[in-house]
Amino acid sequence: MTNFQVKTYDEYQQAYQRSLEDPESFWSDIASTFTWRKKWNTTLEWNFEEPDVKWFKGGKLNITENCLDRHLKTRGNKLALIWEPNDPKERFVRYTYRELHEKVCQFANVLKKNGVQKGDRVCIYMPMIPELAFAVLACARIGAIHSVIFAGFSAVSMADRINDAGAKMVLTSDGLNRGAKQIPVKRVVDEALETCPTIEKVIVVERLGWAVNMVEGRDVWYHDEVKDVSKECPAEIMDAEDMLFILYTSGSTGKPKGVVHTCGGYMVYAEYSFRNVFQYEESDIYWCTADIGWITGHTYLLYGPLLAGATTLMFEGVPTYPDMGRFWQVCDKFGVTIFYTAPTAIRSLMGGDIDDVLSYSLDSLRVLGSVGEPINEEAWHWYHTHVGKERCPVVDTWWQTETGGIMISTLANVTPMKPSHATLPLPGVHPILVDSDGKEITENGVEGHLCIKHPWPSMIRTTYGDHERCRLSYFSTYKGLYFTGDGAKRDENGLYRIIGRVDDVINVSGHRFGTAEIEEAINHNNHVIESAVVGFPHDVKGQGIYAFVICKDKPENEEWLRAEIIETVVEKIGKIARPDKIQIVSGLPKTRSGKIMRRILRKVAEGDVSNLGDTSTLLDPAVVDEIVEGSLSKAKV
Ligand code: WTA
């Protein structure tokens, strides 16, 4: 079972070499350690032109049999899930593998009873409570395709996703806790569903005990439905290439796209990468702080650890509630051994009193992880020194919603570690750097666009309902390659450092937004004619959102207008996409062909206006002076 976990640098190099020479036998051996109802006929069929990628074709399986059933004999009484509530005074809850199996089967039976069938899409808009984990696995159990929507998105965003997926059902809760706040989740769902004709049923899990609006014939309470269902539910047999889930993520153009992952390849890569990166051991208590609404929560809170038979911790709250020591208090409380979080969380905690971390022992920790955005050296050292006591390796894991699992990362205590560097690819992953003409750069000590040369099992298969968009977004920029959208450096020793996006995507606190998506939201405001959004360096969030906005009339009160624009963005996307700065301008720097020169706006947003480069190709160069002046003189939000 664990024969694919490399334990030494030598083993890493051998595995890597083998994966280059014979990728199919490499992956086929790993896949053989899983429970399949029927073995696959071909390990891999692929071309990156269409693209068309099939792993383990002809294989039949159910991922939940691998997450749950196969552990029952040997780990039935082992803890599978520990749930820590938002309020430290509320009691935590634990589920053994046997109990989790029962909960998932019950939830699956509730779904069936309410009409969900194999292939149906189910949207999940829920807080971080155990029922969210049950719900996701219950969908997988019966072959329904889950699409989890982070519960911070607005009703408009939710409706867009539901309609794109053509979902039949929404799973939600009455409300949610986030730190000191309580948020009426069901009300957001009700608003979204006004424009979602495909939804037939809504199942509501009680969290806060609030009285909520229940629509007759559409809405039912989970606790009523679960009363008399069986604790057994046979797993639906799925093809390896059947869809497992859709997860929406932002790109540089248009609305968020539904990234599609399939059952077999995703399963194999989730456990493989989980074990290797964190160097998992049977006795570990593993905590990934990501919300299940993001890919990190899918692969490394839920599927990866459960496939490995690990104990995974799920936390409802936020790092700063009731105080800045909450993460460390929870680590001590449960004896967490592997801790995986995002740079933005580390940076926000660094700003607090050092005693908030030093007053906890953190003795149990042995591996620390980072994900979602580049981790700056200061945050890396703080994490390594004060949390890891210089004893724990920090694995900086680079990957994407589209890659399904970690692609480039230190393997804890096995491969080299270097601050702010994701370092080396996992065996089976073949990254390359290309120059702007798409030519591979083979030397070290270089910088380029990061591409992947060969398929890996958990890669994106399509964008839901629009395969051409998948091709255009990832496979058309450089022929024959998967293009990540990231820029990267490779140092003299061949270690990768991810610099960040080279497309029009902003990474705010590890969450992706397309500039076009935010502009479209801003333009919905009645006073706005046009806008241009760029990212700028932000101490805590990594990148902040800076919006340049042209208004119809000179606003009477700029403060009010800014507040109104923010409200529009919150309504269209959600609080997480609030612009940090809004500058009202009379024009935007456009070329004669009408293209906005974002390079100039980025410089202004960074506060670096000394050298704006060549502005002679602009339609109206004077507009730049006005923007620069405005950026320096006016107080912004
Ligand atoms: C960025 C999150 C630097 C990158 C798993 C990527 C990172 C985008 C790292 C994907 C890292 C993620 N170092 N940058 N360790 N991890 N990124 O889809 O720009 O939410 O393209 O997946 O986050 O974000 P996504």
Side-chain angles (χ1 to χ4, degrees), residues 296 372-374 396-401 486 498 501 507 512:
T296 308
E373 51 173 317
D396 177 358
T397 64
W398 174 83
W399 59 297
Q400 309 178 297
T401 304
D486 280 321
I498 312 300
R501 305 289 305 195
N507 194 332
R512 284 163 58 172

Side-chain angles (χ1 to χ4, degrees), residues 72-93:
L72 292 184
K73 260 205 194 113
T74 50
R75 303 191 181 89
N77 295 323
K78 180 178 174 175
L79 287 184
L81 183 69
I82 303 175
W83 177 72
E84 168 72 6
N86 177 63
D87 180 350
K89 292 199 276 308
E90 190 180 337
R91 182 133 182 87
F92 63 91
V93 186

Side-chain angles (χ1 to χ4, degrees), residues 311-435:
T311 301
T312 182
L313 196 153
M314 178 175 182
F315 174 46
E316 184 188 31
V318 294
T320 49
Y321 180 81
D323 57 50
M324 306 276 269
R326 186 68 191 278
F327 270 0
W328 323 127
Q329 178 248 332
V330 174
C331 283
D332 277 3
K333 178 172 175 182
F334 296 106
V336 169
T337 59
I338 305 175
F339 179 73
Y340 189 31
T341 196
T344 185
I346 298 166
R347 287 191 298 261
S348 77
L349 298 177
M350 269 166 68
D353 190 336
I354 191 68
D355 282 341
D356 285 328
V357 50
L358 295 187
S359 49
Y360 296 94
S361 95
L362 301 178
D363 275 352
S364 54
L365 290 174
R366 61 175 199 87
V367 176
L368 301 177
S370 167
V371 58
E373 51 173 317
I375 178 166
N376 49 308
E377 296 211 12
E378 196 190 350
W380 193 98
H381 285 292
W382 188 90
Y383 196 28
H384 186 246
T385 309
H386 298 300
V387 181
K389 316 291 181 201
E390 297 183 349
R391 189 187 66 232
C392 308
V394 174
V395 295
D396 177 358
T397 64
W398 174 83
W399 59 297
Q400 309 178 297
T401 304
E402 295 85 346
T403 69
I406 298 168
M407 302 288 278
I408 303 181
S409 170
T410 294
L411 311 186
N413 297 315
V414 170
T415 59
M417 174 173 91
K418 182 175 175 186
S420 302
H421 285 66
T423 70
L424 295 173
L426 271 69
V429 174
H430 303 219
I432 61 167
L433 296 180
V434 300
D435 64 19

Side-chain angles (χ1 to χ4, degrees), residues 298-569:
H298 281 59
T299 311
Y300 297 110
L301 191 156
L302 220 47
Y303 285 115
L306 293 178
L307 286 162
T311 301
T312 182
L313 196 153
M314 178 175 182
F315 174 46
E316 184 188 31
V318 294
T320 49
Y321 180 81
D323 57 50
M324 306 276 269
R326 186 68 191 278
F327 270 0
W328 323 127
Q329 178 248 332
V330 174
C331 283
D332 277 3
K333 178 172 175 182
F334 296 106
V336 169
T337 59
I338 305 175
F339 179 73
Y340 189 31
T341 196
T344 185
I346 298 166
R347 287 191 298 261
S348 77
L349 298 177
M350 269 166 68
D353 190 336
I354 191 68
D355 282 341
D356 285 328
V357 50
L358 295 187
S359 49
Y360 296 94
S361 95
L362 301 178
D363 275 352
S364 54
L365 290 174
R366 61 175 199 87
V367 176
L368 301 177
S370 167
V371 58
E373 51 173 317
I375 178 166
N376 49 308
E377 296 211 12
E378 196 190 350
W380 193 98
H381 285 292
W382 188 90
Y383 196 28
H384 186 246
T385 309
H386 298 300
V387 181
K389 316 291 181 201
E390 297 183 349
R391 189 187 66 232
C392 308
V394 174
V395 295
D396 177 358
T397 64
W398 174 83
W399 59 297
Q400 309 178 297
T401 304
E402 295 85 346
T403 69
I406 298 168
M407 302 288 278
I408 303 181
S409 170
T410 294
L411 311 186
N413 297 315
V414 170
T415 59
M417 174 173 91
K418 182 175 175 186
S420 302
H421 285 66
T423 70
L424 295 173
L426 271 69
V429 174
H430 303 219
I432 61 167
L433 296 180
V434 300
D435 64 19
S436 47
D437 299 328
K439 253 193 50 220
E440 181 171 354
I441 315 170
T442 51
E443 311 88 74
N444 283 344
V446 290
E447 182 175 333
H449 287 183
L450 181 65
C451 294
I452 315 284
K453 211 171 170 171
H454 189 273
W456 62 102
S458 63
M459 70 182 292
I460 179 174
R461 296 299 194 271
T462 187
T463 43
Y464 191 78
D466 189 353
H467 192 63
E468 179 62 3
R469 192 162 175 209
C470 173
R471 191 185 68 80
L472 286 174
S473 306
Y474 309 104
F475 298 91
S476 69
T477 315
Y478 303 114
K479 203 173 153 24
L481 298 173
Y482 167 83
F483 175 44
T484 63
D486 280 321
K489 287 186 177 168
R490 193 166 51 220
D491 77 4
E492 297 303 332
N493 299 315
L495 304 183
Y496 285 90
R497 175 185 195 139
I498 312 300
I499 303 164
R501 305 289 305 195
V502 294
D503 53 6
D504 289 322
V505 170
I506 312 182
N507 194 332
V508 185
S509 300
H511 308 319
R512 284 163 58 172
F513 298 102
T515 52
E517 185 188 353
I518 303 173
E519 286 159 8
E520 196 197 303
I522 292 176
N523 298 349
H524 268 104
N525 186 291
N526 284 334
H527 302 288
V528 173
I529 298 178
E530 196 184 357
S531 60
V533 164
V534 294
F536 70 100
H538 188 286
D539 285 348
V540 174
K541 301 181 187 180
Q543 278 190 298
I545 298 171
Y546 195 126
F548 298 86
V549 177
I550 306 178
C551 293
K552 283 187 188 135
D553 314 295
K554 192 172 162 25
E556 272 173 40
N557 182 324
E558 285 205 3
E559 281 314 303
W560 291 355
L561 181 64
R562 287 196 191 98
E564 242 191 63
I565 291 172
I566 287 176
E567 215 171 282
T568 312
V569 175

